[in-house]
Amino acid sequence: MEYETPLFFRVMKYASSVDRDVIDMVSGNPDWEPPQALRDGLSEYADLEPAAFQYPPSDGLLELRKEIAARRGVDVEQVVVTNGAGEANYLAMARALERDRGEDVILTDPVYPYYPGKTTMLGGTQRFVATDDEGQLDPADVRAAASEETAAIVVNSPNNPTGAVYSAETVRELVAIAEEYDALLISDEVYDNFDLSGEFASALSVDSNHRIVTNAFSKSLAITGFRVGYAIFPPELVENARSRHMLVNVAGSRPSQYAVLNALRETEPDYYERNRELLRERVDAFTDALEEAGAEYTTPKGAFYVMARFEGYPGTLENVFELIDEAGVAGMPGEAFGDSRTEWLRFALVTPRVEEAAERLATRFV
Amino acid sequence: MEYETPLFFRVMKYASSVDRDVIDMVSGNPDWEPPQALRDGLSEYADLEPAAFQYPPSDGLLELRKEIAARRGVDVEQVVVTNGAGEANYLAMARALERDRGEDVILTDPVYPYYPGKTTMLGGTQRFVATDDEGQLDPADVRAAASEETAAIVVNSPNNPTGAVYSAETVRELVAIAEEYDALLISDEVYDNFDLSGEFASALSVDSNHRIVTNAFSKSLAITGFRVGYAIFPPELVENARSRHMLVNVAGSRPSQYAVLNALRETEPDYYERNRELLRERVDAFTDALEEAGAEYTTPKGAFYVMARFEGYPGTLENVFELIDEAGVAGMPGEAFGDSRTEWLRFALVTPRVEEAAERLATRFV
């Protein structure tokens, strides 16, 4: 069995292997500071008694689950702390496919490449629904693709790679379609903290036992390497997900969970607002420079990414490697996100050098 | 789909919920100190620049993989760093079942309960081979159970729960059987550092492309909550395992990996020897006290566990709860480890109060 392995790590590896200065815009790795309380939590943990170094509860430190439940307005029993949003999505998709209500997984095109990879690995069948040029998903298209064979509809808002933010109306409709076909809506909201539009709506806002919400602290606390995420399940679906989590990972990393809990408790809203503001500034700087360079580009309503298109220069892996070598800018090939964006490149705004990057690209394409 | 969920967390939860002093001997959670260099590594990490808080390579920090490869005498490309031995065993078993060389997974009885749970979750079929009273596995019995349908043989030496350590001859034979049936021997060696017999043989000592070795630093560094383990695959099997790891977890916890790397580099052999000696003393103290109490018991050659049997008191979950309530000693029910030890209880020697625990048990059964 061959899976489709997402290319992120491969591109990052290439970018760090070449013998020149490269502006790394490959992956959604924040370059800004984590909260001080995150660092403090980890330092504090390092000095705790040995008992604190042993297995946390399999589904996560209870205080962390309570903190999440309170923030999200759900029962603590619905919360499973996972190894990042990656495991949360894996558990959610496995849960949907195990219900024996069909094998189809409806995904968007463009798509975050881990979703089709997980679908294949879990024995499901991918069904792609195209979004519009701005990445908006029309629920009518999802309904047209849905059937008795639909196990899950997997969406991501704010969206990677398009930057789209789905409206409350769209989210309501998606939940309704999941209910109609006894499927599950899996709503990956890992960029919820980076909604730049004010229009973000969580799937939790729609009361239903046909939706699973996944999230992580990777982006909001700037700690993709800590691997602390969570999934919120309908009460009747949580038990088996918990079992799978235990059988796959036993438990998550306790130092990571401890540090995250401290950060959640001690970090002021100002921290989050500052990072959103930083992102807004970078979106402006990068898109302004792309505009001057005469490129086509997207303006994200949320998340970290700008897609750009240069005339006669398709978004292939080969071209991405060439841009690393020749321009010193590393992005991701549009083809990695599905058939609809093969002409595009995706750039993550996780460097203070976004303007310089756009200028380098402009120079390359003059 | 219902999995068999291992009971460890359930029993631990019960033990900590009762309103009395309970000596916790449920799970293999060391109560001794992690190495100072582990704590130092974590403290140091807490002050690193933001880039160090982002995704490590999916298959683990390169320096950590190199350290593991050097210690185990394998090529670094064969090493995948995992979320503890739990994920390592999951990846190994998934890999074996995906080869489409059969669906049977040969397990021992008694068995570490995560293995049958993983087998079911992965769609395999459990085939149990009984060990003798001392937990020794006769390769002839494994050969009798093996067939063209055998995907994997999963063993654990030093063994949880029996304390058996398999001889080099046994390990060689198990690899030979795997080769004969084009199956994979999965050798979980997480207690290798706690071989009290001097007879432990790693499956790596047998050159073969039909064996996967799994391990973790959970026990050797006394950090079950850090979740850093690894699997060593034959070169031709590693790629798909790496993909599955990426699709399930993206990557492991970087602070945990960083701290483990520092501990491996800086910790003297003396640390490991001291903990083995501590375990030896506890085995003696606990079994002496059980002897005086007139109980039947096992004397482990390795790992952390003693099994004990009290006349007319079978190893049921109900009795385990009763012993928590009435005697203030928490163990695991023998029935959790398979059909052959239903009369037994398992006690983990992870408390300085082993003698007191045995006395409490003696009082209960007078």
Side-chain angles (χ1 to χ4, degrees):
Chain A
M1 184 191 241
E2 291 293 328
Y3 312 130
E4 295 163 43
T5 309
L7 294 168
F8 301 104
F9 287 99
R10 188 162 157 208
V11 178
M12 286 191 277
K13 202 169 173 180
Y14 186 81
S16 65
S17 73
V18 300
D19 189 25
R20 66 157 292 164
D21 171 58
V22 176
I23 303 179
D24 181 355
M25 302 176 76
V26 178
S27 203
N29 275 328
D31 65 309
W32 49 86
E33 274 286 330
Q36 185 57 42
L38 188 282
R39 294 179 179 278
D40 294 346
L42 200 58
S43 295
E44 187 179 288
Y45 180 88
D47 293 327
L48 295 181
E49 74 285 4
F53 283 42
Q54 309 311 322
Y55 296 118
S58 177
D59 51 10
L61 290 174
L62 182 58
E63 292 303 309
L64 178 58
R65 290 171 59 224
K66 283 184 180 168
E67 187 77 29
I68 293 165
R71 283 162 183 254
R72 306 312 308 264
V74 298
D75 190 283
V76 67
E77 288 305 316
Q78 297 179 253
V79 179
V80 178
V81 173
T82 59
N83 191 71
E87 191 206 348
N89 289 324
Y90 161 77
L91 293 181
M93 293 173 70
R95 198 67 207 83
L97 286 162
E98 279 166 9
R99 291 172 70 237
D100 294 330
R101 305 286 206 284
E103 297 198 339
D104 285 4
V105 176
I106 295 181
L107 303 168
T108 60
D109 182 5
V111 70
Y112 176 57
Y114 278 87
Y115 307 151
K118 284 180 215 274
T119 302
T120 308
M121 183 179 75
L122 288 163
T125 304
Q126 308 160 0
R127 301 279 173 212
F128 289 100
V129 174
T131 62
D132 70 13
D133 285 351
E134 279 163 6
Q136 284 297 336
L137 182 62
D138 187 338
D141 295 338
V142 175
R143 181 167 274 115
S147 74
E148 297 302 327
E149 286 307 307
T150 306
I153 304 162
V154 183
V155 295
N156 170 227
S157 167
N159 188 264
N160 172 9
T162 65
V165 172
Y166 299 168
S167 69
E169 179 56 27
T170 296
V171 172
R172 248 196 319 275
E173 274 296 294
L174 293 172
V175 173
I177 298 164
E179 290 186 340
E180 211 166 301
Y181 290 98
D182 194 8
L184 297 176
L185 175 70
I186 299 171
S187 181
D188 177 348
E189 304 178 356
V190 72
Y191 294 101
D192 60 352
N193 194 58
F194 295 91
D195 171 28
L196 307 177
S197 68
E199 292 163 18
F200 171 72
S202 168
L204 290 175
S205 64
V206 192
D207 192 32
S208 170
N209 56 2
H210 284 79
R211 52 118 178 85
I212 299 171
V213 169
T214 62
N215 210 320
F217 303 100
S218 303
K219 316 292 181 181
S220 60
L221 300 177
I223 48 163
T224 55
F226 274 52
R227 317 306 306 132
V228 184
Y230 61 89
I232 297 174
F233 291 91
E236 64 275 25
L237 296 181
V238 70
E239 200 49 48
N240 274 31
R242 211 180 258 138
S243 292
R244 179 175 280 264
H245 169 68
M246 194 185 287
L247 289 169
V248 169
N249 277 329
V250 184
S253 165
R254 189 159 174 173
S256 291
Q257 291 184 17
Y258 187 95
V260 165
L261 176 59
N262 201 57
L264 289 179
R265 285 175 170 166
E266 305 293 335
T267 305
E268 300 293 332
D270 173 56
Y271 169 82
Y272 304 100
E273 183 47 49
R274 222 166 41 233
N275 294 330
R276 267 191 297 276
E277 194 47 42
L278 178 71
L279 192 61
R280 273 189 202 99
E281 288 164 12
R282 287 180 179 176
V283 169
D284 288 346
F286 192 59
T287 55
D288 285 356
L290 287 173
E291 176 75 32
E292 277 184 41
E296 239 186 301
Y297 59 87
T298 61
T299 304
K301 292 188 156 191
F304 297 170
Y305 312 96
V306 167
M307 301 200 78
R309 175 183 187 164
F310 298 92
E311 198 56 39
Y313 199 78
T316 61
L317 186 60
E318 194 182 4
N319 280 341
V320 161
F321 286 169
E322 201 248 14
L323 279 184
I324 292 170
D325 291 330
E326 300 302 321
V329 179
M332 275 292 288
E335 65 179 17
F337 301 93
D339 295 337
S340 68
R341 296 300 192 276
T342 54
E343 295 299 312
W344 296 72
L345 297 161
R346 189 202 74 168
F347 297 96
L349 306 181
V350 292
T351 164
R353 300 162 72 194
V354 293
E355 217 163 337
E356 187 185 350
E359 282 155 14
R360 287 185 180 191
L361 292 171
T363 309
R364 167 65 185 76
F365 291 108
V366 161
Chain B
M1 185 192 242
E2 292 291 328
Y3 312 130
E4 295 162 42
T5 308
L7 296 168
F8 300 105
F9 287 99
R10 189 163 159 209
V11 178
M12 286 191 278
K13 202 168 173 183
Y14 186 81
S16 64
S17 74
V18 300
D19 189 25
R20 64 158 293 164
D21 171 57
V22 176
I23 304 178
D24 181 355
M25 302 176 77
V26 178
S27 202
N29 275 327
D31 64 310
W32 49 88
E33 274 285 332
Q36 185 57 41
L38 189 281
R39 294 179 179 277
D40 294 346
L42 200 58
S43 295
E44 187 180 289
Y45 180 89
D47 293 327
L48 295 181
E49 74 284 3
F53 283 43
Q54 309 311 321
Y55 297 118
S58 178
D59 50 11
L61 290 174
L62 182 58
E63 292 303 309
L64 178 58
R65 289 170 61 224
K66 283 183 180 167
E67 187 77 31
I68 293 165
R71 284 163 182 254
R72 307 312 307 265
V74 298
D75 190 283
V76 66
E77 289 305 315
Q78 296 179 253
V79 180
V80 179
V81 173
T82 59
N83 191 70
E87 191 205 349
N89 289 323
Y90 162 76
L91 293 180
M93 292 174 70
R95 198 68 207 82
L97 285 161
E98 279 166 10
R99 291 173 70 237
D100 294 330
R101 305 286 206 282
E103 296 200 340
D104 285 3
V105 176
I106 295 181
L107 303 168
T108 60
D109 183 3
V111 69
Y112 176 57
Y114 279 86
Y115 307 151
K118 283 180 215 275
T119 302
T120 306
M121 184 180 75
L122 289 163
T125 305
Q126 308 160 0
R127 301 279 172 211
F128 289 100
V129 174
T131 62
D132 70 14
D133 285 351
E134 279 165 4
Q136 284 297 336
L137 182 62
D138 187 338
D141 295 338
V142 175
R143 181 166 273 116
S147 75
E148 297 302 328
E149 287 307 307
T150 305
I153 303 163
V154 184
V155 296
N156 170 226
S157 167
N159 188 264
N160 172 8
T162 65
V165 172
Y166 298 167
S167 69
E169 179 56 28
T170 295
V171 173
R172 249 196 317 276
E173 274 295 294
L174 292 173
V175 173
I177 298 164
E179 291 187 340
E180 210 166 302
Y181 290 97
D182 194 9
L184 297 175
L185 175 70
I186 299 172
S187 180
D188 177 348
E189 304 178 356
V190 72
Y191 293 101
D192 61 352
N193 195 58
F194 295 91
D195 170 28
L196 307 177
S197 68
E199 291 163 19
F200 170 72
S202 168
L204 289 175
S205 63
V206 192
D207 193 31
S208 170
N209 55 1
H210 283 79
R211 52 117 177 86
I212 300 171
V213 169
T214 63
N215 210 320
F217 302 100
S218 303
K219 316 293 181 181
S220 59
L221 300 177
I223 48 163
T224 55
F226 275 51
R227 315 307 304 133
V228 183
Y230 61 88
I232 297 174
F233 291 91
E236 64 275 25
L237 296 181
V238 70
E239 201 49 47
N240 276 31
R242 213 180 258 139
S243 292
R244 179 175 281 264
H245 169 68
M246 194 184 288
L247 289 169
V248 170
N249 277 330
V250 184
S253 165
R254 189 159 174 172
S256 291
Q257 291 183 18
Y258 187 95
V260 164
L261 176 59
N262 200 58
L264 289 179
R265 284 175 169 167
E266 306 292 335
T267 305
E268 301 293 332
D270 173 57
Y271 169 80
Y272 303 99
E273 182 47 47
R274 219 164 44 230
N275 294 331
R276 267 191 296 277
E277 193 47 43
L278 178 71
L279 192 61
R280 273 190 201 99
E281 289 164 12
R282 287 181 180 177
V283 168
D284 289 346
F286 192 58
T287 55
D288 284 355
L290 288 173
E291 175 76 33
E292 276 184 42
E296 237 186 303
Y297 59 87
T298 62
T299 303
K301 291 188 156 188
F304 297 170
Y305 312 96
V306 166
M307 302 199 77
R309 175 183 189 165
F310 299 91
E311 198 56 38
Y313 199 78
T316 60
L317 186 59
E318 193 182 7
N319 280 342
V320 161
F321 286 168
E322 202 247 14
L323 279 184
I324 292 171
D325 291 330
E326 302 301 321
V329 179
M332 276 292 288
E335 64 180 17
F337 302 91
D339 295 338
S340 67
R341 296 299 192 276
T342 54
E343 296 299 310
W344 296 71
L345 297 162
R346 189 202 74 167
F347 297 97
L349 306 182
V350 292
T351 165
R353 299 161 73 193
V354 293
E355 216 162 338
E356 187 185 348
E359 282 156 14
R360 287 185 181 192
L361 293 171
T363 308
R364 167 65 185 76
F365 292 109
V366 160

